[in-house]
Amino acid sequence: MVLPLFDGIGAAKEGLMRISWEEYALQLAETGAARSEDPFERVGACVLRGDYSVAGIGYNGAPSGITIDWSDRDRRRERVVHAEVNALRYIRPNEGFLLACTLMPCQDCLKLAAANGIEKIVFREVYSKDGSAVSLAKEFGIELEQLPN
């Protein structure tokens, strides 16, 4: 969603538009994903507070101090820390309200988001390996929205 820019006194500036807060957070998540070493799936996540300030940014990768053999896709999947976990790790419960992810969260990350009081999750791509996230989001009262590329 693109919103009009305002001139400071409430009038929209002619022809100038700006991105929504959801898109802003998702673009920050995409920047975070660029830090990932994972050659199969680079994922980023961003958490916004209620005042739209950034509470955390994360990307998928190895746990601190651990080396992963990235050439073995299945073995790396067992060891990688998800972007959502890294984005949520330093925030207090209920500090964030929006989680933006480049890939729809898996069920474990969705449960973590719910435990942290996240009210809305936006994402770019659907995670096809775990179809339970949609039903869990509904059950937990978390709004789930896919944003277009």
Side-chain angles (χ1 to χ4, degrees):
M1 175 189 306
V2 179
L3 304 173
L5 282 176
F6 291 91
D7 63 7
I9 57 172
K13 290 184 178 179
E14 187 68 33
L16 295 177
M17 303 299 273
R18 63 192 229 181
I19 60 175
S20 67
W21 287 111
E22 291 87 351
E23 183 63 35
Y24 168 74
L26 199 44
Q27 287 185 21
L28 289 173
E30 289 168 342
T31 299
R35 288 274 310 146
S36 175
E37 299 174 87
D38 191 330
F40 300 103
E41 192 76 64
R42 291 179 143 196
V43 181
C46 176
V47 180
L48 294 186
R49 295 180 185 95
D51 66 356
Y52 302 107
S53 62
V54 176
I57 295 178
Y59 56 90
N60 62 323
S64 184
I66 303 296
T67 301
I68 292 179
D69 176 6
W70 295 106
S71 66
D72 187 334
R73 186 171 191 163
D74 291 330
R75 286 187 47 86
R76 76 96 176 112
R77 191 176 285 131
E78 297 169 351
R79 290 159 178 76
V80 73
V81 178
H82 290 192
E84 300 90 337
V85 172
N86 284 324
L88 291 164
R89 69 188 282 190
Y90 295 114
I91 71 165
R92 295 180 311 276
N94 301 309
E95 181 179 357
F97 88 98
L98 175 76
L99 175 61
C101 309
T102 58
L103 185 66
M104 184 173 69
C106 68
Q107 66 173 318
D108 288 334
C109 289
L110 197 102
K111 289 185 281 188
L112 181 63
N116 277 280
I118 298 297
E119 299 172 16
K120 182 175 184 177
I121 297 173
V122 295
F123 61 94
R124 197 73 83 198
E125 303 295 329
V126 173
Y127 182 53
S128 61
K129 300 206 180 309
D130 185 355
S132 65
V134 173
S135 61
L136 280 176
K138 189 176 213 174
E139 181 180 333
F140 295 156
I142 297 174
E143 183 181 348
L144 199 57
E145 179 183 357
Q146 184 177 15
L147 298 183
N149 284 325

